[in-house]
Amino acid sequence: MKVAVPVTNDYVDGPGEATEVHIYEVNGKEYKLVEKFTNPALQATHARGVYMLKAGLERGVTAFIVAEIGPPGIRFLKGKAKVYLASGMKVDEALDKFVKGELTETDKPTHDDHHHHVEL
């Protein structure tokens, strides 16, 4: 299976904030990096995380490991991919926990819709 991780400075980040996206191929208890690219969310003006999530789905990803996720991301992924939380973890630690089944899966946002923009 393919797993996407939003990454900043070797730490799992949010889909709308990370500087890069790393995609891993996971087979049993093993994983390997298969692709790395600049996070498209950095160019978006609203619902930024959805842009990163969409890029992952377009590459065949079926699970996302994130530090946080808002309601638009949860709605977008419903029925398409699973979401696992790894707040404050380095990428290797999160992947090790993922393959051991130790990360928490969620279908709920970790913050509200207005987390990253200012109302005018």
Side-chain angles (χ1 to χ4, degrees):
M1 77 182 298
K2 283 189 177 178
V3 177
V5 184
V7 179
T8 301
N9 297 324
D10 293 321
Y11 280 88
V12 178
D13 205 349
E17 295 77 39
T19 57
E20 294 183 328
V21 180
H22 296 184
I23 297 183
Y24 294 85
E25 185 67 46
V26 177
N27 291 308
K29 301 274 187 223
E30 306 210 348
Y31 57 86
K32 69 176 182 175
L33 180 66
V34 293
E35 187 176 1
K36 187 188 288 193
F37 57 94
T38 300
N39 188 355
L42 300 177
Q43 303 300 316
T45 57
H46 65 284
R48 296 182 322 186
V50 171
Y51 290 84
M52 178 262 158
L53 300 170
K54 182 176 185 285
L57 291 177
E58 288 170 349
R59 289 165 168 84
V61 166
T62 57
F64 292 85
I65 299 173
V66 300
E68 53 83 26
I69 189 166
I74 292 293
R75 287 190 298 267
F76 179 73
L77 290 179
K78 187 173 183 175
K80 297 175 188 160
K82 294 184 177 194
V83 178
Y84 297 87
L85 298 176
S87 182
M89 290 185 207
K90 285 198 163 227
V91 174
D92 285 339
E93 176 187 2
L95 286 162
D96 287 341
K97 287 181 178 281
F98 177 78
V99 299
K100 292 176 184 171
E102 296 174 359
L103 287 184
T104 301
E105 183 180 347
T106 189
D107 62 355
K108 307 273 187 274
T110 58
H111 59 76
D112 65 25
D113 273 315
H114 303 292
H115 183 67
H116 295 292
H117 68 272
V118 177
E119 297 280 335
L120 298 179

